[in-house]
Amino acid sequence: GNSVTQMEGPVTLSEEAFLTINCTYTATGYPSLFWYVQYPGEGLQLLLKATKADDKGSNKGFEATYRKETTSFHLEKGSVQVSDSAVYFCALTTFSGYSTLTFGKGTMLLVSP
Amino acid sequence: DAGVIQSPRHEVTEMGQEVTLRCKPISGHNSLFWYRQTMMRGLELLIYFNNNVPIDDSGMPEDRFSAKMPNASFSTLKIQPSEPRDSAVYFCASTREQNTEAFFGQGTRLTVV
């Protein structure tokens, strides 16, 4: 079956620090990969995505590259802000007649001024 | 589009009562997912539908939980009887087609006292 493993949090950083949140996956077939973000009191929203190997998804200064050889999709940002404090979820979808959707457990990011 | 719409946003009920959560997916989306989120267990997939048909309900915790999707624009998650350990935020999400991102509702915060 499909699974997503991401680093446990919380990750605590100072403003302007570099961020990496690791994500690895196992999947049957050829997955699409996603990062979702959940701000306090809200639902999950898409942050970025990549649908094929070597694609780089990017949004709001965040980036992640689909690495098929290492089955990874690590999230990075060069300079975090206090407003980036949230929970980040790595996820994948596959399709075999119908879509499946698998999430990691989420990583909380806390950014202090 | 208004996005995925869930109701109610908050529900407080007494142990033993029946609770019904509602979800309206985005028009044209053919897969619908119900998730439960708690601090202890994180984000758990309860059940998902494809073209209104339940595909996998292995995440439904027990017989007290049931879900229906009578048509493409409406789904319910029912808990009967409710228990305090059911207290959580319940999310509904929908996707349009294979390997596309899921769109989440704002969630229903359920408190069973």
Side-chain angles (χ1 to χ4, degrees), chain B:
Chain B
D1 199 314
V4 177
I5 300 173
Q6 292 187 245
S7 64
R9 288 294 308 276
H10 302 273
E11 176 81 32
V12 180
T13 190
E14 292 186 346
M15 183 174 64
Q17 296 298 305
E18 177 180 295
V19 174
T20 299
L21 312 181
R22 296 173 176 81
C23 175
K24 176 178 167 47
I26 293 174
S27 177
H29 284 198
N30 59 4
S31 291
L32 183 141
F33 304 81
W34 280 102
Y35 289 89
R36 177 173 68 177
Q37 186 177 40
T38 61
M39 289 292 292
M40 292 298 296
R41 303 169 75 103
L43 193 65
E44 302 174 277
L45 176 64
L46 300 178
I47 184 171
Y48 71 94
F49 296 83
N50 181 256
N51 292 326
N52 313 337
V53 176
I55 300 300
D56 184 355
D57 65 353
S58 59
M60 297 286 262
E62 48 197 275
D63 292 345
R64 297 185 298 106
F65 285 68
S66 62
K68 294 182 180 180
M69 193 164 186
N71 57 62
S73 59
F74 184 65
S75 177
T76 60
L77 178 67
K78 185 175 295 186
I79 309 172
Q80 165 64 19
S82 58
E83 297 182 2
R85 61 194 168 116
D86 302 330
S87 297
V89 180
Y90 291 81
F91 288 104
C92 175
S94 67
T95 62
R96 177 168 51 85
E97 59 188 25
Q98 62 190 83
N99 287 351
T100 59
E101 65 266 30
F103 291 81
F104 280 75
Q106 291 294 298
T108 296
R109 181 173 295 279
L110 173 65
T111 304
V112 184
V113 298

Side-chain angles (χ1 to χ4, degrees), chain A residues 30 32 34 36 38 42-44 46 49 89 93-95 98-101 103, chain B residues 9 31 33 35 37 43 48 50 55 91 97-102 104-106:
Chain A
Y30 205 166
S32 291
F34 306 87
Y36 287 81
Q38 184 180 30
E42 298 185 10
L44 281 72
L46 180 69
K49 68 178 181 180
F89 292 87
T93 64
T94 58
F95 185 84
Y98 48 85
S99 293
T100 67
L101 178 59
F103 281 90
Chain B
R9 288 294 308 276
S31 291
F33 304 81
Y35 289 89
Q37 186 177 40
L43 193 65
Y48 71 94
N50 181 256
I55 300 300
F91 288 104
E97 59 188 25
Q98 62 190 83
N99 287 351
T100 59
E101 65 266 30
F104 280 75
Q106 291 294 298

